[in-house]
């Protein structure tokens, strides 16, 4: 009988689907548990110097200073909420690479980038499938200072050259940003030491 023969196959598929769902559920619980444990260990007091060290190691003739970095997921899950306060990139590229221009650089030349506060959420499930989805990103009082010493040296000469040529092109993940806000943006300042050119761009309103 065809109907009776089909019933065991149907029950088999039901068991397979249940097993897959239980496996996925177990994996999700494991990820959530691991995340909770990591967030418990990575307090702002431990996370902040770790972020400073890792970020600074990616630069040359510069360092990253951060007032505080905190992560939380309890109120924003499945988004991992990140809050950063007093972020600065301090450069001494002109001092190292063009010492003859040091006496003529403006006082603000060393601070190439600063942000009073940053907050935003990263969608963890989307990240697992290769998509970086950010939500409620807010940047407060960003400031950019660009100083040119000569044709080859600027205060942004802080990215080390690649040690080895890339054999394969780097595939950028998909990036989505929901609700992006810039509050109280500071002026973007430009100064060319060799020509004496000054340029300041001011923003009157938040974005």
């Amino acid at each position: 009988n065809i109907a009776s023969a089909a019933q065991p196959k149907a029950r088999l598929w039901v068991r397979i689907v249940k097993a897959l769902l239980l496996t996925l559920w177990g994996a999700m619980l494991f990820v959530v548990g691991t995340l909770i444990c990591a967030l418990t260990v990575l307090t702002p007091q431990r996370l902040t110097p770790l972020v400073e060290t890792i970020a600074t190691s990616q630069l040359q003739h510069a360092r990253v200073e951060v007032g505080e970095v905190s992560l939380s997921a309890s109120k924003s899950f499945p988004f991992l909420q990140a809050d950063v306060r007093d972020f600065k990139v301090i450069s001494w590229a002109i001092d190292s690479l063009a010492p003859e221009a040091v006496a003529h650089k403006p006082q603000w030349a060393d601070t190439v980038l600063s942000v009073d506060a940053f907050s935003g959420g990263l969608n963890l499930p989307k990240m697992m499938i290769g998509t970086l989805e950010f939500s409620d990103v807010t940047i407060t009082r960003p400031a950019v200072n660009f100083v040119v010493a000569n044709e080859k040296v600027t205060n942004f000469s802080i990215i080390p050259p690649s040690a080895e040529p890339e054999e394969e092109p780097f595939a950028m993940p998909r990036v989505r940003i929901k609700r992006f806000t810039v509050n109280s943006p500071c002026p973007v300042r430009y100064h060319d030491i060799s020509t004496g050119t000054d340029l300041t761009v001011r923003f009157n309103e938040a974005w």
Side-chain angles (χ1 to χ4, degrees):
N1 171 303
I2 297 176
S4 59
Q7 287 180 358
K9 293 183 178 179
R11 287 195 292 270
L12 176 62
W13 279 109
V14 169
R15 289 198 295 270
I16 292 174
V17 170
K18 284 184 177 180
L20 288 174
L21 290 176
L22 287 173
T23 301
L24 290 173
W25 177 245
M28 284 296 296
L29 288 177
F30 174 77
V31 170
V32 172
T34 303
L35 177 62
I36 292 174
C37 292
L39 293 178
T40 302
V41 173
L42 291 177
T43 61
Q45 292 77 14
R46 294 178 177 176
L47 183 60
T48 301
L50 182 63
V51 169
E52 287 183 327
T53 300
I54 294 175
T56 298
S57 69
Q58 304 303 309
L59 305 175
Q60 63 177 6
H61 310 301
R63 70 177 183 274
V64 173
E65 296 180 356
V66 187
E68 183 179 88
V69 181
S70 62
L71 298 175
S72 62
S74 58
K75 296 181 180 180
S76 57
F77 193 81
F79 284 87
L80 177 64
Q81 181 70 23
D83 293 283
V84 181
R85 182 173 52 81
D86 297 331
F87 176 89
K88 293 180 181 179
V89 178
I90 308 298
S91 166
W92 54 86
I94 295 178
D95 303 53
S96 301
L97 304 176
E100 71 282 355
V102 172
H104 306 286
K105 70 177 184 180
Q107 291 183 342
W108 42 264
D110 293 342
T111 305
V112 298
L113 175 66
S114 67
V115 175
D116 279 12
F118 167 90
S119 64
L122 174 63
N123 191 318
L124 294 175
K126 292 288 182 67
M127 184 177 67
M128 295 177 186
I129 60 173
T131 298
L132 298 179
E133 180 177 294
F134 299 92
S135 180
D136 297 317
V137 175
T138 302
I139 300 175
T140 303
R141 290 184 58 80
V144 179
N145 299 317
F146 190 77
V147 178
V148 177
N150 53 50
E151 294 180 356
K152 296 182 179 181
V153 179
T154 74
N155 61 341
F156 271 86
S157 301
I158 58 177
I159 307 299
S162 177
E164 298 179 359
E166 295 183 1
E167 296 180 359
E168 297 181 1
F170 176 71
M172 289 291 293
R174 296 179 62 186
V175 178
R176 297 176 181 172
I177 300 178
K178 297 180 179 180
R179 293 185 293 276
F180 178 82
T181 306
V182 178
N183 291 329
S184 306
C186 295
V188 175
R189 295 184 286 193
Y190 169 89
H191 180 76
D192 189 326
I193 296 174
S194 60
T195 63
T197 303
D198 271 307
L199 179 64
T200 301
V201 179
R202 301 182 184 277
F203 302 93
N204 294 325
E205 298 179 359
W207 302 352

